[in-house]
Amino acid sequence: MSAVQQTTLRLRELKLAAMAEAYERQLEQPKLHQIDFDSRLAMLVEAEAQARDGRVLKRLIYNADLPESASLEDVDHRPGRGLDKIQLASLASCEWVRRKQNLILIGATGVGKTWLACAFGYQACRLRIPVLFYRASDLYEEIAEAAHTGALPKLKQALTKPNILIIDDFGLGEMNLASAQVLLDVIDRRMRASSLIITSQFPTDAWHGLFPDQTIADAILDRVVHQAHRLDLKGDSMRKLRAKKA
């Protein structure tokens, strides 16, 4: 076995597959042999780092379970949507997550709330911030199922762990007293260390009426609304606009 083969094999044994592939590519490009050793080594290290960053991002996106492929770079800023480019750019840094603040997206059906929530979720994944997406109705059903099977502690831990929990379409789906109590427990745990993104068709001053118990409503809204950034989306349904283009 040649020295080159031994080096490549050792790199793979050390789980440095990207570096091994970059090393093999360097050997196939004679011009690179004129570059000094430190520069070539730096290129190998960078190849490995980029590959690992890519794997981390892929894993974070997979775990987030985002229903839409969206990016803040692709936001439609057309007049009338109520989106401020400066505010979006500021929120894109995810500094609000580090400050344990929340983000609320309000708007009529079809204006792009879910898409924008996914775009913020994807941006967070890029910054290595764990995210988890739930539609509100699915969350209530999963809470009920977990309570029935004894898996509620595990579900609470899963809902508490990611730095951002996205609750989509809050106000849709049946929230009973048990679901509301679990939601309060999760949000109470999260407010000390993490953030929420909530989308809703209902304005925040109507959220009290969405809860089966006003005491729980007061407790949850006090923890969520008062430390949240807010985007009010306006304009025509983006689905209709896309359908017209199609």
Side-chain angles (χ1 to χ4, degrees), residues 161-195:
K161 187 175 180 181
N163 293 71
I164 298 177
L165 174 63
I166 301 175
I167 301 178
D168 186 43
D169 268 336
F170 179 70
L172 301 184
E174 183 180 354
M175 185 199 307
N176 58 29
L177 183 59
S179 297
Q181 289 172 332
V182 170
L183 195 59
L184 173 58
D185 188 20
V186 169
I187 289 175
D188 185 55
R189 296 183 190 183
R190 292 188 57 83
M191 70 172 292
R192 305 185 192 97
S194 49
S195 301

mmCIF file of all heavy atoms in Angstrom, residues 161-195:
data_model
loop_
_atom_site.group_PDB
_atom_site.id
_atom_site.type_symbol
_atom_site.label_atom_id
_atom_site.label_comp_id
_atom_site.label_asym_id
_atom_site.label_seq_id
_atom_site.Cartn_x
_atom_site.Cartn_y
_atom_site.Cartn_z
ATOM 1 N N LYS A 161 -37.174 21.250 24.654
ATOM 2 C CA LYS A 161 -35.747 21.176 24.324
ATOM 3 C C LYS A 161 -35.282 22.144 23.238
ATOM 4 O O LYS A 161 -34.271 22.833 23.425
ATOM 5 C CB LYS A 161 -35.396 19.741 23.929
ATOM 6 C CG LYS A 161 -33.907 19.527 23.727
ATOM 7 C CD LYS A 161 -33.620 18.056 23.448
ATOM 8 C CE LYS A 161 -32.132 17.823 23.246
ATOM 9 N NZ LYS A 161 -31.842 16.387 22.959
ATOM 10 N N PRO A 162 -35.949 22.254 22.071
ATOM 11 C CA PRO A 162 -35.405 23.122 20.997
ATOM 12 C C PRO A 162 -35.434 24.587 21.381
ATOM 13 O O PRO A 162 -36.311 25.029 22.132
ATOM 14 C CB PRO A 162 -36.330 22.833 19.812
ATOM 15 C CG PRO A 162 -37.591 22.339 20.429
ATOM 16 C CD PRO A 162 -37.186 21.588 21.647
ATOM 17 N N ASN A 163 -34.490 25.343 20.848
ATOM 18 C CA ASN A 163 -34.418 26.776 21.154
ATOM 19 C C ASN A 163 -35.613 27.544 20.606
ATOM 20 O O ASN A 163 -35.993 28.580 21.150
ATOM 21 C CB ASN A 163 -33.129 27.371 20.585
ATOM 22 C CG ASN A 163 -31.901 26.843 21.288
ATOM 23 O OD1 ASN A 163 -31.548 25.682 21.123
ATOM 24 N ND2 ASN A 163 -31.247 27.671 22.079
ATOM 25 N N ILE A 164 -36.198 27.041 19.507
ATOM 26 C CA ILE A 164 -37.392 27.672 18.942
ATOM 27 C C ILE A 164 -38.464 26.607 18.755
ATOM 28 O O ILE A 164 -38.223 25.582 18.111
ATOM 29 C CB ILE A 164 -37.108 28.340 17.585
ATOM 30 C CG1 ILE A 164 -36.085 29.459 17.727
ATOM 31 C CG2 ILE A 164 -38.406 28.901 16.993
ATOM 32 C CD1 ILE A 164 -35.710 30.112 16.404
ATOM 33 N N LEU A 165 -39.638 26.863 19.318
ATOM 34 C CA LEU A 165 -40.808 26.027 19.066
ATOM 35 C C LEU A 165 -41.782 26.856 18.232
ATOM 36 O O LEU A 165 -42.192 27.944 18.644
ATOM 37 C CB LEU A 165 -41.473 25.609 20.380
ATOM 38 C CG LEU A 165 -42.800 24.851 20.246
ATOM 39 C CD1 LEU A 165 -42.593 23.519 19.532
ATOM 40 C CD2 LEU A 165 -43.441 24.627 21.620
ATOM 41 N N ILE A 166 -42.114 26.361 17.046
ATOM 42 C CA ILE A 166 -43.072 27.035 16.173
ATOM 43 C C ILE A 166 -44.442 26.406 16.373
ATOM 44 O O ILE A 166 -44.596 25.184 16.207
ATOM 45 C CB ILE A 166 -42.664 26.926 14.693
ATOM 46 C CG1 ILE A 166 -41.278 27.537 14.463
ATOM 47 C CG2 ILE A 166 -43.702 27.619 13.804
ATOM 48 C CD1 ILE A 166 -40.758 27.361 13.040
ATOM 49 N N ILE A 167 -45.432 27.218 16.743
ATOM 50 C CA ILE A 167 -46.821 26.761 16.835
ATOM 51 C C ILE A 167 -47.594 27.484 15.741
ATOM 52 O O ILE A 167 -47.796 28.693 15.803
ATOM 53 C CB ILE A 167 -47.432 27.043 18.223
ATOM 54 C CG1 ILE A 167 -46.607 26.347 19.313
ATOM 55 C CG2 ILE A 167 -48.883 26.568 18.267
ATOM 56 C CD1 ILE A 167 -47.111 26.610 20.727
ATOM 57 N N ASP A 168 -48.000 26.740 14.747
ATOM 58 C CA ASP A 168 -48.625 27.309 13.554
ATOM 59 C C ASP A 168 -50.147 27.250 13.651
ATOM 60 O O ASP A 168 -50.709 26.268 14.150
ATOM 61 C CB ASP A 168 -48.150 26.528 12.322
ATOM 62 C CG ASP A 168 -48.628 27.130 11.022
ATOM 63 O OD1 ASP A 168 -48.571 28.369 10.886
ATOM 64 O OD2 ASP A 168 -49.049 26.366 10.143
ATOM 65 N N ASP A 169 -50.804 28.304 13.165
ATOM 66 C CA ASP A 169 -52.269 28.375 13.139
ATOM 67 C C ASP A 169 -52.869 28.248 14.527
ATOM 68 O O ASP A 169 -53.826 27.492 14.741
ATOM 69 C CB ASP A 169 -52.846 27.307 12.198
ATOM 70 C CG ASP A 169 -53.041 27.842 10.789
ATOM 71 O OD1 ASP A 169 -53.176 29.072 10.629
ATOM 72 O OD2 ASP A 169 -53.047 27.029 9.841
ATOM 73 N N PHE A 170 -52.325 29.004 15.466
ATOM 74 C CA PHE A 170 -52.887 29.034 16.811
ATOM 75 C C PHE A 170 -54.308 29.595 16.734
ATOM 76 O O PHE A 170 -54.553 30.615 16.102
ATOM 77 C CB PHE A 170 -52.031 29.912 17.728
ATOM 78 C CG PHE A 170 -52.548 30.021 19.123
ATOM 79 C CD1 PHE A 170 -52.503 28.938 19.973
ATOM 80 C CD2 PHE A 170 -53.104 31.206 19.582
ATOM 81 C CE1 PHE A 170 -52.989 29.031 21.271
ATOM 82 C CE2 PHE A 170 -53.586 31.315 20.868
ATOM 83 C CZ PHE A 170 -53.530 30.218 21.707
ATOM 84 N N GLY A 171 -55.224 28.915 17.386
ATOM 85 C CA GLY A 171 -56.629 29.301 17.316
ATOM 86 C C GLY A 171 -57.454 28.331 16.505
ATOM 87 O O GLY A 171 -58.684 28.330 16.595
ATOM 88 N N LEU A 172 -56.795 27.494 15.693
ATOM 89 C CA LEU A 172 -57.481 26.437 14.963
ATOM 90 C C LEU A 172 -57.257 25.117 15.683
ATOM 91 O O LEU A 172 -56.193 24.871 16.235
ATOM 92 C CB LEU A 172 -56.963 26.345 13.526
ATOM 93 C CG LEU A 172 -57.101 27.616 12.674
ATOM 94 C CD1 LEU A 172 -56.644 27.342 11.259
ATOM 95 C CD2 LEU A 172 -58.535 28.131 12.688
ATOM 96 N N GLY A 173 -58.246 24.265 15.683
ATOM 97 C CA GLY A 173 -58.149 23.019 16.422
ATOM 98 C C GLY A 173 -58.738 23.185 17.812
ATOM 99 O O GLY A 173 -58.818 24.291 18.341
ATOM 100 N N GLU A 174 -59.155 22.097 18.388
ATOM 101 C CA GLU A 174 -59.821 22.126 19.692
ATOM 102 C C GLU A 174 -58.806 22.031 20.833
ATOM 103 O O GLU A 174 -58.097 21.034 20.966
ATOM 104 C CB GLU A 174 -60.828 20.987 19.788
ATOM 105 C CG GLU A 174 -61.618 20.988 21.082
ATOM 106 C CD GLU A 174 -62.612 19.849 21.168
ATOM 107 O OE1 GLU A 174 -62.761 19.129 20.163
ATOM 108 O OE2 GLU A 174 -63.221 19.675 22.244
ATOM 109 N N MET A 175 -58.743 23.087 21.636
ATOM 110 C CA MET A 175 -57.885 23.082 22.818
ATOM 111 C C MET A 175 -58.769 22.834 24.047
ATOM 112 O O MET A 175 -59.556 23.685 24.433
ATOM 113 C CB MET A 175 -57.156 24.417 22.977
ATOM 114 C CG MET A 175 -56.155 24.408 24.130
ATOM 115 S SD MET A 175 -55.692 26.079 24.710
ATOM 116 C CE MET A 175 -55.171 26.881 23.224
ATOM 117 N N ASN A 176 -58.625 21.664 24.657
ATOM 118 C CA ASN A 176 -59.377 21.400 25.877
ATOM 119 C C ASN A 176 -58.553 21.811 27.092
ATOM 120 O O ASN A 176 -57.418 22.291 26.963
ATOM 121 C CB ASN A 176 -59.809 19.931 25.956
ATOM 122 C CG ASN A 176 -58.619 18.979 25.888
ATOM 123 O OD1 ASN A 176 -57.506 19.312 26.300
ATOM 124 N ND2 ASN A 176 -58.851 17.785 25.360
ATOM 125 N N LEU A 177 -59.105 21.621 28.268
ATOM 126 C CA LEU A 177 -58.442 22.065 29.492
ATOM 127 C C LEU A 177 -57.109 21.350 29.692
ATOM 128 O O LEU A 177 -56.115 21.979 30.077
ATOM 129 C CB LEU A 177 -59.357 21.834 30.693
ATOM 130 C CG LEU A 177 -58.834 22.324 32.057
ATOM 131 C CD1 LEU A 177 -58.557 23.827 32.014
ATOM 132 C CD2 LEU A 177 -59.829 21.996 33.168
ATOM 133 N N ALA A 178 -57.071 20.055 29.403
ATOM 134 C CA ALA A 178 -55.827 19.293 29.585
ATOM 135 C C ALA A 178 -54.736 19.811 28.652
ATOM 136 O O ALA A 178 -53.575 19.975 29.056
ATOM 137 C CB ALA A 178 -56.082 17.811 29.329
ATOM 138 N N SER A 179 -55.097 20.088 27.392
ATOM 139 C CA SER A 179 -54.117 20.615 26.437
ATOM 140 C C SER A 179 -53.607 21.980 26.876
ATOM 141 O O SER A 179 -52.420 22.276 26.760
ATOM 142 C CB SER A 179 -54.745 20.727 25.042
ATOM 143 O OG SER A 179 -55.109 19.459 24.550
ATOM 144 N N ALA A 180 -54.511 22.811 27.380
ATOM 145 C CA ALA A 180 -54.135 24.150 27.829
ATOM 146 C C ALA A 180 -53.169 24.079 29.006
ATOM 147 O O ALA A 180 -52.202 24.849 29.083
ATOM 148 C CB ALA A 180 -55.379 24.938 28.217
ATOM 149 N N GLN A 181 -53.401 23.138 29.916
ATOM 150 C CA GLN A 181 -52.519 23.002 31.081
ATOM 151 C C GLN A 181 -51.123 22.534 30.664
ATOM 152 O O GLN A 181 -50.115 23.010 31.192
ATOM 153 C CB GLN A 181 -53.143 22.031 32.077
ATOM 154 C CG GLN A 181 -54.366 22.594 32.785
ATOM 155 C CD GLN A 181 -55.104 21.557 33.621
ATOM 156 O OE1 GLN A 181 -55.076 20.359 33.327
ATOM 157 N NE2 GLN A 181 -55.777 22.022 34.673
ATOM 158 N N VAL A 182 -51.075 21.599 29.701
ATOM 159 C CA VAL A 182 -49.774 21.139 29.189
ATOM 160 C C VAL A 182 -49.065 22.284 28.480
ATOM 161 O O VAL A 182 -47.856 22.488 28.651
ATOM 162 C CB VAL A 182 -49.956 19.938 28.237
ATOM 163 C CG1 VAL A 182 -48.646 19.615 27.519
ATOM 164 C CG2 VAL A 182 -50.445 18.723 29.005
ATOM 165 N N LEU A 183 -49.817 23.038 27.695
ATOM 166 C CA LEU A 183 -49.229 24.165 26.977
ATOM 167 C C LEU A 183 -48.651 25.191 27.946
ATOM 168 O O LEU A 183 -47.549 25.714 27.731
ATOM 169 C CB LEU A 183 -50.294 24.825 26.090
ATOM 170 C CG LEU A 183 -49.805 25.781 25.008
ATOM 171 C CD1 LEU A 183 -48.849 25.086 24.044
ATOM 172 C CD2 LEU A 183 -50.991 26.368 24.244
ATOM 173 N N LEU A 184 -49.365 25.459 29.024
ATOM 174 C CA LEU A 184 -48.860 26.384 30.040
ATOM 175 C C LEU A 184 -47.572 25.858 30.660
ATOM 176 O O LEU A 184 -46.606 26.614 30.841
ATOM 177 C CB LEU A 184 -49.910 26.601 31.118
ATOM 178 C CG LEU A 184 -49.453 27.421 32.345
ATOM 179 C CD1 LEU A 184 -48.955 28.802 31.938
ATOM 180 C CD2 LEU A 184 -50.593 27.536 33.358
ATOM 181 N N ASP A 185 -47.537 24.579 30.962
ATOM 182 C CA ASP A 185 -46.345 23.982 31.566
ATOM 183 C C ASP A 185 -45.154 24.091 30.626
ATOM 184 O O ASP A 185 -44.046 24.473 31.038
ATOM 185 C CB ASP A 185 -46.624 22.507 31.897
ATOM 186 C CG ASP A 185 -45.498 21.869 32.696
ATOM 187 O OD1 ASP A 185 -44.706 22.611 33.323
ATOM 188 O OD2 ASP A 185 -45.389 20.632 32.698
ATOM 189 N N VAL A 186 -45.374 23.793 29.346
ATOM 190 C CA VAL A 186 -44.290 23.854 28.360
ATOM 191 C C VAL A 186 -43.795 25.279 28.196
ATOM 192 O O VAL A 186 -42.582 25.553 28.205
ATOM 193 C CB VAL A 186 -44.766 23.280 27.003
ATOM 194 C CG1 VAL A 186 -43.755 23.593 25.902
ATOM 195 C CG2 VAL A 186 -44.987 21.786 27.106
ATOM 196 N N ILE A 187 -44.721 26.226 28.054
ATOM 197 C CA ILE A 187 -44.331 27.624 27.849
ATOM 198 C C ILE A 187 -43.643 28.183 29.082
ATOM 199 O O ILE A 187 -42.675 28.955 28.972
ATOM 200 C CB ILE A 187 -45.570 28.462 27.471
ATOM 201 C CG1 ILE A 187 -46.022 28.088 26.058
ATOM 202 C CG2 ILE A 187 -45.271 29.958 27.548
ATOM 203 C CD1 ILE A 187 -47.305 28.757 25.611
ATOM 204 N N ASP A 188 -44.092 27.777 30.255
ATOM 205 C CA ASP A 188 -43.454 28.236 31.492
ATOM 206 C C ASP A 188 -42.002 27.763 31.560
ATOM 207 O O ASP A 188 -41.114 28.510 31.964
ATOM 208 C CB ASP A 188 -44.234 27.716 32.699
ATOM 209 C CG ASP A 188 -43.684 28.269 34.007
ATOM 210 O OD1 ASP A 188 -43.592 29.500 34.140
ATOM 211 O OD2 ASP A 188 -43.328 27.463 34.890
ATOM 212 N N ARG A 189 -41.763 26.522 31.149
ATOM 213 C CA ARG A 189 -40.392 26.009 31.126
ATOM 214 C C ARG A 189 -39.556 26.726 30.058
ATOM 215 O O ARG A 189 -38.391 27.052 30.286
ATOM 216 C CB ARG A 189 -40.394 24.503 30.834
ATOM 217 C CG ARG A 189 -41.057 23.643 31.878
ATOM 218 C CD ARG A 189 -40.935 22.175 31.503
ATOM 219 N NE ARG A 189 -41.752 21.312 32.338
ATOM 220 C CZ ARG A 189 -41.766 19.986 32.237
ATOM 221 N NH1 ARG A 189 -41.000 19.386 31.338
ATOM 222 N NH2 ARG A 189 -42.536 19.261 33.024
ATOM 223 N N ARG A 190 -40.170 26.966 28.908
ATOM 224 C CA ARG A 190 -39.430 27.520 27.791
ATOM 225 C C ARG A 190 -39.046 28.984 28.009
ATOM 226 O O ARG A 190 -38.011 29.429 27.510
ATOM 227 C CB ARG A 190 -40.256 27.409 26.504
ATOM 228 C CG ARG A 190 -40.461 25.989 26.005
ATOM 229 C CD ARG A 190 -41.122 26.005 24.638
ATOM 230 N NE ARG A 190 -40.312 26.775 23.712
ATOM 231 C CZ ARG A 190 -39.252 26.293 23.059
ATOM 232 N NH1 ARG A 190 -38.878 25.049 23.221
ATOM 233 N NH2 ARG A 190 -38.563 27.077 22.246
ATOM 234 N N MET A 191 -39.869 29.746 28.699
ATOM 235 C CA MET A 191 -39.626 31.185 28.806
ATOM 236 C C MET A 191 -38.311 31.509 29.509
ATOM 237 O O MET A 191 -37.778 32.600 29.349
ATOM 238 C CB MET A 191 -40.789 31.882 29.517
ATOM 239 C CG MET A 191 -40.913 31.577 30.987
ATOM 240 S SD MET A 191 -42.175 32.614 31.792
ATOM 241 C CE MET A 191 -41.412 34.236 31.697
ATOM 242 N N ARG A 192 -37.761 30.554 30.242
ATOM 243 C CA ARG A 192 -36.504 30.787 30.947
ATOM 244 C C ARG A 192 -35.291 30.552 30.061
ATOM 245 O O ARG A 192 -34.178 30.953 30.408
ATOM 246 C CB ARG A 192 -36.411 29.867 32.165
ATOM 247 C CG ARG A 192 -37.597 29.971 33.116
ATOM 248 C CD ARG A 192 -37.369 29.128 34.369
ATOM 249 N NE ARG A 192 -38.596 28.993 35.149
ATOM 250 C CZ ARG A 192 -39.420 27.968 35.099
ATOM 251 N NH1 ARG A 192 -39.139 26.948 34.305
ATOM 252 N NH2 ARG A 192 -40.508 27.922 35.835
ATOM 253 N N ALA A 193 -35.485 29.881 28.922
ATOM 254 C CA ALA A 193 -34.301 29.498 28.149
ATOM 255 C C ALA A 193 -34.480 29.519 26.637
ATOM 256 O O ALA A 193 -33.507 29.299 25.921
ATOM 257 C CB ALA A 193 -33.864 28.084 28.580
ATOM 258 N N SER A 194 -35.684 29.781 26.128
ATOM 259 C CA SER A 194 -35.875 29.620 24.689
ATOM 260 C C SER A 194 -37.015 30.495 24.178
ATOM 261 O O SER A 194 -37.558 31.305 24.913
ATOM 262 C CB SER A 194 -36.135 28.143 24.369
ATOM 263 O OG SER A 194 -37.136 27.615 25.229
ATOM 264 N N SER A 195 -37.376 30.296 22.910
ATOM 265 C CA SER A 195 -38.303 31.211 22.232
ATOM 266 C C SER A 195 -39.415 30.458 21.519
ATOM 267 O O SER A 195 -39.322 29.257 21.254
ATOM 268 C CB SER A 195 -37.540 32.069 21.217
ATOM 269 O OG SER A 195 -36.534 32.827 21.838
#
